[in-house]
Amino acid sequence: MRPKEAAQRAEALRETIRRHDHLYYVMDSPEASDAEYDSLLGELMRLEEEFPEVITPDSPTQRVGGTPLEGFGTVTHAVPMLSLGNAFGEAEMRAFDGRVRNAVADPGGYVVEPKIDGLSVTLVYENGQLARGATRGDGVVGENITQNLKTIRSIPLGLPKPGVSLLEVRGEVFMTREDFARLNAAREAAEEPLFANPRNAAAGSARQLDPGVTAARPLRAAFYEVRRIEGIPLQLHSQGLETLKTLGFPVPPHAICQGIEEILQVCAEWEADRHRVPYEIDGMVVKVDSLEVQSRLGSTSKSPRWAMAYKFAAEQAVTRLLGITIQVGRTGALTPTAELEPVRISGSTVSRAGLHNEDYIRVKDIRVGDWVIVQKAGEVIPEVVRVLQERRTGEERVFTMPGKCPVCGSDALRLEGEAVTRCAGISCPAQVREGLIHFGSRDAMDIDGLGPAMVGKLVEAGLVRDVADLYSLTPAGLAAIERLGDRSSENLVNAIQRSKDQPLSRLLFALGIRHVGKRAAEVLAQRFTSMKALSEASLEDLTSVEEVGPKIAQSVASFFRQEQTRDVLQRLEQAGVNMVEHVQRAGDLAGKTFVFTGTLSIPRSQAEALVKERGGKTGASVSRQADYVVAGEDPGSKLDKARSLGVTVLSEADFLGLVKG
């Protein structure tokens, strides 16, 4: 076959395969058998292998998972991905409609859509091709999971219509109930851990570092919003949904309602028949249809004023409580968990439910052997609602919290005034594992590669017993971990070594001192400036600090009294871990506000910390009150707005020179 003929045949195959993908994954009306489809795809793969020059970015062959990633990059959303406000009944839904009409006399119609329970994502298409795909993250910055999203066949790799130079769409990655059941059945047969529900399965699958794993999972996607578009004028949200359909995107069913009575009727119909679609939904989303009215209504810092989620009442079921087991958390908290006779609720099988603490069990008089009513709080977290005492036989057993930690055997103590029983052993393996995960997390020491799986391997191999042991790891020593390559070992050790330079506030938060969150750690570090000074502070010294109450003060004082604490801190200092907070130079950046846009070479949280160390503040949006906008790679609309308002724009190099100079 000649190159020209190969190109023509490849394009014909691509078009045919795209058509079959659309029929199967979007229209649910397949025309080709699996064997026929596989034959077409196989021919295209062989053709592209023989003639690499005919491969196109949107070819179906490019969906196949590639080389595993070392970690996800970040994406700054051009328009923040805000969360929705929740309405839990008719009164709250009417209140939402009232607020809209108070602000806009005639808002027009509303669009009502099912709220799919999955992973929220945003896709950006540039010049007709999928350029980026990201998770919501914190609403401002998400994870770049483009390669994984490309493996989902219901997501177009390219747009069929010319003239759309830019398109940003938002939607949900999910798994159908049937596909979820098949996936869990296969995992059970392979003796692998089961997923708790379709949402967790979808979110975990879409965020795999190995795109090949994502490609093997039965993921789908549906899209519910055009966020930005150039080339097609839109006036209504519903027009955006129709546009998405013509561009090949799967769109959830929706209704256009003219008032609150119609909205409530549609919501009630869906709640009564929530399983009419093959995927999990936990409510309905109600949106003002007019995009102009949406713009006038605007948003709060957390949610749009023009949309509301109508949450369905939790589904309940009756089952038997077979036993109560104890889970030990990072802070040593002993949490009782109900082991249930498996029961189906909201589309998934529930066999466990949280019982919170000893008082919760006492107040509800929960006993082993009881028949109980279980529901999913927010359709996700199972909980025991109440006991059916009328069904008791007298054989039920009263539960008593253990006096020893079930993991390490140390004393389990419940202090006066506290509801939680805790393990007193600072070297408890359960605490060590979770403590290490917290220590290396993004907001703590930010050690890239030190996730739950790696921590588990380090602990199991006996290489790490506490956080100080991390700093004695070497690439040669990591050879004891099976299937950890030389490059991965070096990357982990280098990441650990880099974390030595984190400010004292990060280290304090990373140590997992009870009641000391990020803000409290910053306040303590600024006040005492060194680990030594903080460790020697009296209870009176601690309580004299603004924002530090008696509970935090007692927890900090108790933490530094422990011999194990002194040992760990001594070894951390010997390893070269920073134990001081850089004193803010007076007047440097005091009162200055920085806004970030685009991707930086350093984590966004680290950049924000550099500003705060010098007395500055950070903001999420650009206004005349902003002093600087720091523009990284692929800056969004914030850069244009900064220029239009005359706000000073800094490159990353300029920014680092300013805050470190």
Side-chain angles (χ1 to χ4, degrees), residues 170-196:
R170 295 193 171 164
E172 207 82 359
V173 171
F174 63 92
M175 197 174 288
T176 66
R177 288 186 286 270
E178 185 178 342
D179 285 339
F180 170 72
R182 278 199 294 261
L183 176 62
N184 258 356
R187 292 177 69 85
E188 186 174 22
E191 297 184 353
E192 295 176 340
L194 302 185
F195 288 111

Side-chain angles (χ1 to χ4, degrees), residues 71-83:
F72 294 123
T74 58
V75 172
T76 301
H77 302 306
V79 181
M81 292 185 72
L82 303 178
S83 301

Side-chain angles (χ1 to χ4, degrees), residues 244-256:
L244 288 179
K245 282 185 182 179
T246 65
L247 293 175
F249 291 90
V251 174
H254 57 277
I256 299 177

Side-chain angles (χ1 to χ4, degrees), residues 286-603:
V286 180
K287 303 173 183 175
V288 171
D289 198 12
S290 167
L291 300 183
E292 188 270 333
V293 174
Q294 287 186 10
S295 179
R296 286 164 60 188
L297 290 169
S299 305
T300 68
S301 61
K302 294 182 179 180
S303 58
R305 294 189 178 93
W306 45 265
M308 180 65 69
Y310 176 89
K311 302 290 283 187
F312 293 157
E315 289 189 334
Q316 297 182 338
V318 175
T319 188
R320 195 158 178 259
L321 194 154
L322 304 177
I324 296 177
T325 56
I326 299 295
Q327 310 298 315
V328 183
R330 175 177 62 82
T331 62
L334 273 63
T335 303
T337 300
E339 302 294 337
L340 306 170
E341 197 169 272
V343 63
R344 191 84 170 167
I345 310 177
S346 299
S348 64
T349 300
V350 171
S351 58
R352 310 181 87 193
L355 294 173
H356 306 295
N357 54 53
E358 188 175 15
D359 289 344
Y360 184 87
I361 295 172
R362 292 284 173 270
V363 169
K364 291 186 177 288
D365 190 20
I366 298 171
R367 304 180 186 183
V368 176
D370 271 333
W371 286 91
V372 295
I373 293 177
V374 182
Q375 73 176 23
K376 283 187 178 180
E379 294 289 309
V380 176
I381 305 167
E383 64 179 7
V384 174
V385 179
R386 65 183 179 89
V387 173
L388 299 177
Q389 295 191 11
E390 66 274 15
R391 296 181 67 171
R392 280 183 174 164
T393 65
E395 296 182 0
E396 294 76 17
R397 303 188 308 279
V398 174
F399 172 77
T400 303
M401 286 291 287
K404 298 287 184 181
C405 171
V407 174
C408 71
S410 299
D411 289 341
L413 307 174
R414 179 177 175 180
L415 302 179
E416 186 177 352
E418 294 198 353
V420 178
T421 301
R422 299 181 186 276
C423 169
I426 196 170
S427 298
C428 176
Q431 296 183 65
V432 168
R433 187 183 297 259
E434 294 301 315
L436 286 165
I437 294 171
H438 173 71
F439 188 84
S441 63
R442 182 176 296 178
D443 290 334
M445 298 299 273
D446 194 20
I447 301 175
D448 190 31
L450 191 68
M454 179 56 67
V455 166
K457 292 175 182 178
L458 292 173
V459 172
E460 289 164 13
L463 296 176
V464 176
R465 296 164 300 160
D466 54 44
V467 297
D469 284 342
L470 290 170
Y471 295 91
S472 62
L473 292 175
T474 64
L478 289 173
I481 297 180
E482 187 179 354
R483 288 186 289 185
L484 185 66
D486 293 342
R487 183 179 177 186
S488 297
S489 298
E490 290 177 7
N491 288 342
L492 177 59
V493 171
N494 290 338
I496 292 171
Q497 293 303 310
R498 284 196 299 271
S499 75
K500 291 179 179 180
D501 297 326
Q502 293 283 15
L504 175 62
S505 57
R506 287 288 197 108
L507 178 59
L508 284 175
F509 177 61
L511 289 172
I513 307 171
R514 283 185 59 211
H515 307 306
V516 177
K518 286 172 58 180
R519 177 59 185 164
E522 291 173 358
V523 169
L524 290 168
Q526 287 290 334
R527 168 63 176 80
F528 294 98
T529 72
S530 74
M531 187 71 79
K532 184 175 187 297
L534 179 59
S535 67
E536 294 174 351
S538 66
L539 204 57
E540 291 73 23
D541 293 333
L542 292 166
T543 52
S544 69
V545 179
E546 189 176 355
E547 296 187 55
V548 174
K551 186 177 289 187
I552 294 177
Q554 290 174 2
S555 180
V556 171
S558 175
F559 176 79
F560 284 108
R561 281 199 303 268
Q562 306 303 315
E563 183 179 344
Q564 296 94 331
T565 298
R566 292 193 291 271
D567 172 65
V568 168
L569 292 178
Q570 183 179 10
R571 289 190 289 127
L572 286 172
E573 189 170 18
Q574 290 172 347
V577 176
N578 174 54
M579 295 281 171
V580 299
E581 190 80 357
H582 298 298
V583 179
Q584 175 184 313
R585 284 167 281 184
D588 261 349
L589 299 178
K592 301 294 184 183
T593 299
F594 289 72
V595 177
F596 296 91
T597 181
T599 303
L600 304 177
S601 64
I602 61 175

